[in-house]
């Protein structure tokens, strides 16, 4: 263990000199849906829905919507539902369209610190199947090859004849979705891992890679909390602690794919005392105070010996007073960070991905109370701070949402399993 008196290692030490401004790679802005993507998104939100309603929702002309719908029908992404009669005496019956979940799936993979999850998701974001296994190795090539090897069996058992369009991979820390590289994952000891190239070669599928926080806020936008559509912050609290930010519906990643790196956000005075140093050498960092490892360590210091964080969580859910108290303390500390993020970004909503807030009623109340006390901006924590929509399926949802998010942005793009359309 590093001595508290040892010099603090600054984040930039022992690393190459930063590039000059001219040497920083320019990232593309958060991608907006194409015209066809906007139509597909409207059908996802409102289907079965008439083409005329889609035109009104998207601001596109009826003729343009008909053309987009025709291409989506040809690709097998939507289908026509049963006719519904319009107002009496006004024209022919409406033929609504809806998402077709019968032909295609996407695959997802999520890499956590201790385990990985492979999943299948339909085009409405519903989990069809998932397989979670502990890591047998954390060597990048072998771990990723193992993920790829698990997918065919899952498809054979659960796809029901539906073709897999793509594989999405999500994990924590810094991920560059443009290059498909896991830039840095300190918990796994990974640096510059070309995950997309490795998985594409192993599966033969198009592969999309992103951070799990960005994946989950995208999942909220597509299938979850409606208030995330315009602007949102998502705070992920697990073995890894990080965040994601959207503004005007677009994701902010940063020129180095580092947006959302909140692990070393200082919690300030009045916390737990910060006796245990963070990996950065300081004390009182958000991650060192609220991560799963910190929770287990704090439980053991109080004589509550558990073998793992899931065991501690289940004891709290079952009503163990000492375990509940630990999660309520965590909720207050997370609430402190949430208040800072709300004041910095002033989002429409802040989504908390933390199992205590989702499964222990007192925790969400404590978190919101801390926000109410500390935030200068948020005047309605009951509305502005919400738990994830995907409690119980977070890893499976994160991986699938990476691939499905890419599909909904550009459904006419290079998807080899889909029929070509003009």
């Amino acid at each position: 263990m590093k001595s508290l008196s040892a010099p603090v290692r600054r984040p930039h030490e022992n690393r190459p000199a930063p590039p000059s401004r001219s040497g920083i790679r320019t990232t593309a802005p958060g991608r907006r849906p194409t015209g066809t993507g906007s139509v597909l998104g409207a059908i996802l939100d409102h289907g079965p829905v008439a083409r005329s309603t889609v035109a009104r929702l998207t601001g596109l002309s009826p003729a343009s919507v008909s053309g987009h719908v025709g291409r989506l029908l040809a690709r097998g992404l939507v289908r026509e539902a049963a006719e519904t009669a319009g107002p009496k005496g006004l024209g022919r019956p409406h033929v609504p369209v809806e998402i077709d979940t019968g032909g295609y799936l996407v695959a997802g993979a999520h890499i956590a610190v201790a385990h990985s999850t492979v999943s299948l998701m339909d085009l409405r974001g519903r989990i069809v199947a998932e397989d979670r296994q502990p890591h047998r190795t954390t060597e990048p090539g072998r771990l990723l090859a193992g993920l790829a090897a698990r997918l065919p069996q899952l498809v054979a058992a659960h796809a029901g004849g539906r073709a897999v369009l793509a594989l999405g991979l999500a994990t924590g820390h810094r991920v560059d979705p443009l290059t498909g590289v896991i830039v840095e994952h300190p918990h796994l000891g990974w640096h510059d891992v070309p995950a997309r190239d490795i998985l594409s070669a192993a599966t033969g599928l198009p592969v999309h890679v992103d951070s799990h926080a960005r994946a989950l806020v995208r999942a909220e936008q597509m299938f979850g909390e409606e208030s995330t559509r315009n602007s949102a912050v998502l705070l992920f609290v697990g073995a890894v602690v990080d965040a994601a930010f959207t503004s005007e519906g677009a994701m902010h990643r940063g020129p180095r794919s580092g947006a959302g790196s909140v692990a070393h956000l200082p919690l300030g005075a009045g916390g737990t005392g910060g006796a245990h140093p963070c990996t950065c050498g300081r004390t009182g960092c958000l991650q060192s105070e609220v991560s799963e490892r910190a929770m287990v360590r704090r439980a053991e210091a109080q004589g509550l010996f558990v073998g793992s964080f899931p065991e501690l969580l289940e004891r709290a859910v079952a009503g163990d007073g000492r375990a509940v108290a630990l999660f309520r303390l965590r909720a207050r500390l997370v609430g402190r960070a949430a208040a800072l993020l709300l004041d910095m970004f002033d989002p429409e909503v802040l989504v908390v991905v933390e199992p205590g807030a989702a499964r222990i009623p007192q925790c969400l109340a404590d978190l919101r109370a801390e926000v109410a006390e500390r935030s200068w901006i948020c005047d309605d924590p009951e509305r502005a701070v919400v738990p994830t929509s995907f409690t119980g399926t977070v890893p499976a949802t994160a991986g699938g949402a990476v691939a499905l998010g890419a599909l909904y942005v550009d459904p006419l793009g290079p998807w080899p399993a889909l029929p070509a359309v003009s």
Side-chain angles (χ1 to χ4, degrees):
M1 180 182 297
K2 184 182 290 186
S3 168
L4 296 181
S5 61
V8 172
R9 180 181 67 79
R10 304 302 179 191
H12 63 274
E13 291 178 359
N14 301 320
R15 296 185 185 179
S20 65
R21 178 168 293 276
S22 61
I24 296 174
R25 178 175 59 81
T26 301
T27 58
R31 294 184 67 193
R32 301 282 186 172
T34 61
T36 310
S38 296
V39 169
L40 185 61
I43 296 170
L44 173 67
D45 282 346
H46 301 280
V49 60
R51 292 164 174 80
S52 58
T53 303
V54 173
R56 186 175 72 252
L57 291 167
T58 60
L60 298 170
S61 70
S64 179
V65 167
S66 293
H68 290 307
V69 169
R71 287 185 282 274
L72 292 170
L73 287 166
R75 296 214 96 173
L77 298 176
V78 303
R79 65 186 177 191
E80 293 186 328
E83 292 185 353
T84 58
K88 188 174 181 180
L90 295 180
R92 67 182 181 86
H94 295 284
V95 181
V97 288
E98 61 186 357
I99 300 298
D100 189 347
T101 60
Y104 302 103
L105 301 170
V106 295
H110 178 267
I111 300 173
V113 172
H115 55 82
S116 62
T117 302
V118 179
S119 62
L120 296 175
M121 176 185 280
D122 74 15
L123 299 193
R124 292 195 61 84
R126 296 174 295 207
I127 302 301
V128 173
E130 63 179 294
D131 170 47
R132 173 173 160 169
Q133 294 185 18
H135 294 324
R136 296 181 180 179
T137 176
T138 56
E139 193 280 319
R142 293 171 61 194
L143 194 156
L144 292 169
L147 284 177
R150 287 155 57 188
L151 185 57
Q153 184 175 356
L154 201 66
V155 171
H158 300 284
R162 289 172 287 185
V164 176
L165 295 177
L167 170 64
L169 172 67
T171 192
H173 292 292
R174 286 179 60 198
V175 180
D176 184 349
L178 296 180
T179 62
V181 169
I182 298 172
V183 179
E184 185 177 36
H185 197 307
H187 286 79
L188 297 175
W190 289 11
H191 298 277
D192 297 324
V193 175
R196 182 175 66 197
D197 292 347
I198 293 171
L199 288 172
S200 292
T203 65
L205 292 170
V207 176
H208 302 268
V209 183
D210 210 338
S211 78
H212 58 201
R214 289 193 291 259
L216 288 167
V217 80
R218 184 72 180 101
E220 293 285 352
Q221 291 176 318
M222 290 190 292
F223 316 114
E225 178 61 43
E226 187 172 350
S227 57
T228 61
R229 301 295 175 81
N230 183 38
S231 64
V233 172
L234 182 137
L235 179 57
F236 185 99
V237 182
V240 172
V241 179
D242 50 18
F245 316 106
T246 69
S247 179
E248 297 183 353
M251 200 77 63
H252 178 67
R253 298 186 177 94
R256 303 168 191 82
S257 303
S261 300
V262 298
H264 303 291
L265 189 71
L267 288 180
T272 64
H276 193 87
C278 180
T279 55
C280 70
R282 300 178 179 89
T283 58
C285 292
L286 178 60
Q287 181 165 274
S288 66
E289 292 289 324
V290 304
S291 69
E292 293 179 359
R293 183 178 300 175
M295 289 288 287
V296 172
R297 184 177 61 245
R298 192 173 290 132
E300 292 177 350
Q302 297 184 17
L304 184 59
F305 296 98
V306 293
S308 65
F309 176 83
E311 181 181 341
L312 179 63
L313 175 62
E314 291 309 316
R315 291 184 68 159
V317 171
D320 184 304
R322 290 183 297 173
V324 169
L326 288 171
F327 276 92
R328 294 187 69 178
L329 171 61
R330 187 196 210 194
R332 292 192 294 274
L333 294 172
V334 172
R336 188 177 303 177
L340 289 171
L341 295 172
L342 284 162
D343 287 356
M344 283 195 295
F345 293 96
D346 189 20
E348 184 75 19
V349 66
L350 184 143
V351 179
V352 180
V353 184
E354 191 278 321
R359 300 183 61 189
I360 304 168
Q362 304 100 308
C363 288
L364 183 58
D366 287 343
L367 196 160
R368 285 169 167 164
E370 196 74 18
V371 167
E373 180 180 340
R374 293 179 177 274
S375 174
W376 293 91
I377 297 296
C378 180
D379 56 5
D380 187 2
E382 294 285 331
R383 177 197 60 79
V385 180
V386 299
T388 176
S389 302
F390 307 105
T391 299
T393 63
V394 165
T397 297
V402 176
L404 213 52
L407 176 69
Y408 275 90
V409 165
D410 189 14
L412 300 185
W415 301 94
L418 294 177
V421 293
S422 57

